[in-house]
Amino acid sequence: MNINKMKTILAVGETIAVEFKRCGGKIEADTYETVCSFLNRFGGDVFLGIEDNGEVIGVPPKSAPDMVKNFISVISNPDVFVPTVYLSPEIMEYKNKTIIHIHIPPSSEVHTYKRIVYDRANDADVKITATSQIAAMYIRKQNIYTERKVYPYVRDSDLRLDMLPRIRNMAANRHNGIHPWTDMPNTELLQSAGLYCEDKATGEWGYNLAAVMLLGRDDVILNVSPTYRTDAIVRRVNTDRYDDRLIVQTNLIESYERLMGFAEKHLMDKFYLEGDARISLSGAISREMLVNTLMHREITAPYYAKFVIEKDRMYTENANRAVSGEAITPDNFEPNPKNPIIAAFFRNIGLADELGSGVRNLYKYGRRYSGQDPQLIDGDVFRIIMPLDDSYSFNAGTKKSQRADTKCKNCTLNCTLSEKAIIEYVNENPTATQSAIAAAIGKSLRSVKADMTHLQQNGILIREGSRRDGRWTGKQEN
């Protein structure tokens, strides 16, 4: 431990991987609880002779060697630590004070101290007693891919095999019309995708959890994973409850489509050019957030995933097998697929790109969408938090988007953001076709048709003349 690194640690203070202990002439039990929690989490560093606030008070220099000796004796005692562990404390001097530094690497085992399991949460050591929490810890430690679990009694009739023609087309479109799945029989395709395999522990063949989540019928999915669902919520006006809500409990592919439709309905799509091409910023950001929460969640964990849109931010949350516990940035991110079979399937059909691109895209497009960086937090619950600012416009020299403030002054209809964008556009371009409107505001043609039908039914838009030569009229913006 060098002096510069020590200064940095003292300046930052206690974290999920740093703990200060005052200590006198002996090591107290709470130090061993911290060692146990670090072993069970991501590892860390314990410093003896430092106050919680970072003030270095030191330990008695003459007592330091005996403290180290006693420490090693305790962690090597199988009646106290199970399994035992070997660590090498370092006695060091800092500003004329003697301190003891103990570096604890992460362990592949689940450890107990005096028959109690401890885990690390932020800067605290927590007793773990719930069976589900201990099971989740074993999964994280052993790097078990729960998506590989074989269900020998799942039959073809339990799967949505009617989706396979569409999946073949998606894969072909993703790869310029050429993909091995295009001409494969169903059974061969499912084996090629890793969805039908042998359980090497039991020798049983069958569809695995990944197959159920990607292609299972809704009742089968809920039978296998009763807590699987994604709550999509909008809280812009009614912050105590919600303005709109969608509960999704279907297969991962159709879940993606429904959640993207929900995002498209409620997010403003600002004008943005990348080169000569118009990019849907809200679509690009939503895609990365939703693909991540569907593709990398820990499916067996009893935690409902969330996609929440608020006035100044949107965020996703999903159960996770944490690796570092740190905030993720493009500089420190290392690709680590939590469900490699599902991730590969998503990439094959074009719903995801290569590993690592999602983080880069979230930072790139997030800055262009709101002028701020997102937050990605790798904990037992993985969180992506994307700031929102409807008044922000990235493109210098272009008209600042006003859609969030557009009000239908001559009517009482509570328009969505996309409906307001349509009204704004057709007021300036009354002869525009629905295809042109969809391209201009960055929404799908289906979404625009539905919104315009709603506006027409409420008398906000009126179509005059023929479909080819007509024009849009109605209540105007003032």
Side-chain angles (χ1 to χ4, degrees):
M1 176 67 64
N2 61 54
I3 298 300
N4 289 333
K5 186 173 182 181
M6 189 70 202
K7 288 180 179 178
T8 301
I9 289 172
L10 291 172
V12 173
E14 293 182 326
T15 67
I16 195 171
V18 172
E19 178 74 11
F20 301 146
K21 298 293 184 184
R22 188 178 192 278
C23 288
K26 64 177 183 178
I27 299 176
E28 304 291 345
D30 62 346
T31 298
Y32 298 109
E33 294 171 3
T34 298
V35 171
C36 183
S37 71
F38 279 178
L39 288 166
N40 286 335
R41 182 51 63 162
F42 310 119
D45 294 276
V46 176
F47 296 88
L48 309 184
I50 301 179
E51 296 275 12
D52 289 345
N53 62 6
E55 179 186 355
V56 179
I57 59 173
V59 300
K62 293 183 179 180
S63 301
D66 286 337
M67 293 171 68
V68 168
K69 183 178 178 180
N70 291 336
F71 175 83
I72 293 174
S73 176
V74 171
I75 64 173
S76 302
N77 185 347
D79 292 329
V80 181
F81 254 88
V82 179
T84 58
V85 61
Y86 176 77
L87 301 172
S88 299
E90 173 191 6
I91 300 173
M92 56 183 292
E93 296 294 321
Y94 183 80
K95 293 187 176 181
N96 298 320
K97 301 288 186 180
T98 300
I99 60 177
I100 300 174
H101 168 224
I102 308 167
H103 176 69
I104 300 106
S107 173
S108 60
E109 303 282 350
V110 174
H111 294 260
T112 63
Y113 169 62
K114 293 186 176 179
R115 300 183 181 180
I116 297 175
V117 178
Y118 290 88
D119 199 2
R120 189 73 172 172
N122 296 322
D123 60 352
D125 305 315
V126 181
K127 291 182 181 180
I128 302 298
T129 57
T131 304
S132 61
Q133 291 177 301
I134 296 174
M137 189 178 292
Y138 274 100
I139 289 173
R140 184 178 73 239
K141 289 290 184 180
Q142 298 175 19
N143 203 24
I144 295 172
Y145 293 109
T146 52
E147 63 168 358
R148 297 180 183 274
K149 181 179 179 181
V150 169
Y151 290 86
Y153 298 108
V154 172
R155 308 297 183 212
D156 287 357
S157 58
D158 295 321
L159 303 181
R160 291 279 310 281
L161 298 183
D162 59 294
M163 294 176 62
L164 291 182
R166 180 156 63 99
I167 286 168
R168 289 187 174 91
N169 288 335
M170 293 171 72
N173 293 336
R174 165 69 168 162
H175 296 84
N176 299 318
I178 302 174
H179 192 278
W181 289 357
T182 304
D183 300 319
M184 281 186 182
N186 289 351
T187 302
E188 190 175 344
L189 187 157
L190 296 171
Q191 289 182 343
S192 172
L195 306 183
Y196 188 88
C197 59
E198 180 187 13
D199 186 333
K200 294 299 183 181
T202 65
E204 292 180 308
W205 281 84
Y207 291 109
N208 54 30
L209 181 58
V212 174
M213 302 312 299
L214 286 164
L215 297 171
R217 305 181 73 87
D218 292 357
D219 59 324
V220 177
I221 291 174
L222 293 180
N223 181 280
V224 168
S225 182
T227 58
Y228 164 76
R229 85 179 195 192
T230 305
D231 278 353
I233 301 170
V234 175
R235 291 194 186 104
R236 287 183 176 269
V237 179
N238 189 342
T239 56
D240 292 331
R241 299 191 69 183
Y242 54 82
D243 307 325
D244 194 8
R245 186 180 188 185
L246 176 68
I247 297 177
V248 180
Q249 292 180 290
T250 190
N251 63 76
L252 294 175
I253 298 169
E254 292 185 337
S255 290
Y256 169 81
E257 294 169 350
R258 294 182 189 181
L259 291 168
M260 280 297 291
F262 187 85
E264 186 178 78
K265 177 181 178 183
H266 292 288
L267 291 174
M268 179 190 299
D269 201 6
K270 304 173 184 179
F271 181 79
Y272 172 70
L273 286 177
E274 192 168 76
D276 294 330
R278 188 184 188 282
I279 300 295
S280 170
L281 289 175
S282 63
I285 293 168
S286 301
R287 174 180 184 264
E288 299 297 351
M289 294 178 69
L290 293 171
V291 162
N292 182 83
T293 197
L294 292 171
M295 192 167 70
H296 295 306
R297 70 175 59 180
E298 177 48 52
I299 300 164
T300 60
Y303 187 87
Y304 293 148
K306 300 179 184 67
F307 174 48
V308 181
I309 300 173
E310 298 176 341
K311 185 175 182 180
D312 59 355
R313 68 172 187 168
M314 63 176 171
Y315 62 89
T316 56
E317 293 182 348
N318 60 269
N320 177 49
R321 191 168 61 251
V323 175
S324 67
E326 299 177 347
I328 294 174
T329 69
D331 295 327
N332 68 5
F333 175 67
E334 295 182 5
N336 180 45
K338 311 298 172 58
N339 296 305
I341 295 174
I342 294 173
F345 199 93
F346 268 57
R347 288 195 299 275
N348 270 295
I349 62 177
L351 297 186
D353 300 317
E354 71 275 7
L355 290 175
S357 64
V359 174
R360 295 191 298 270
N361 286 339
L362 283 171
Y363 270 80
K364 174 183 177 181
Y365 293 125
R367 290 166 181 168
R368 286 154 176 75
Y369 193 65
S370 69
Q372 303 173 64
D373 285 338
Q375 297 178 57
L376 291 82
I377 304 166
D378 182 29
D380 288 337
V381 174
F382 191 96
R383 292 179 173 89
I384 300 176
I385 304 170
M386 179 64 63
L388 298 178
D389 183 352
D390 287 344
S391 66
Y392 178 81
S393 179
F394 174 80
N395 290 90
T398 62
K399 181 181 178 181
K400 187 176 181 179
S401 176
Q402 300 293 325
R403 291 177 194 164
D405 300 322
T406 300
K407 295 181 180 179
C408 304
K409 296 182 179 180
N410 297 326
C411 76
T412 59
L413 182 64
N414 185 19
C415 294
T416 65
L417 289 172
S418 60
E419 288 171 341
K420 291 176 181 179
I422 291 170
I423 295 169
E424 177 185 304
Y425 187 80
V426 299
N427 282 341
E428 298 176 0
N429 305 275
T431 61
T433 64
Q434 291 180 326
S435 296
I437 296 169
I441 69 171
K443 298 292 182 181
S444 69
L445 181 57
R446 173 187 286 184
S447 175
V448 167
K449 286 182 176 180
D451 286 341
M452 295 188 78
T453 298
H454 183 232
L455 292 170
Q456 287 179 277
Q457 290 172 345
N458 285 274
I460 308 304
L461 286 183
I462 300 172
R463 182 68 177 179
E464 295 181 347
S466 66
R467 179 177 298 181
R468 176 177 295 181
D469 300 321
R471 57 187 289 118
W472 297 102
T473 63
K475 296 183 179 180
Q476 303 292 306
E477 302 295 338
N478 297 322

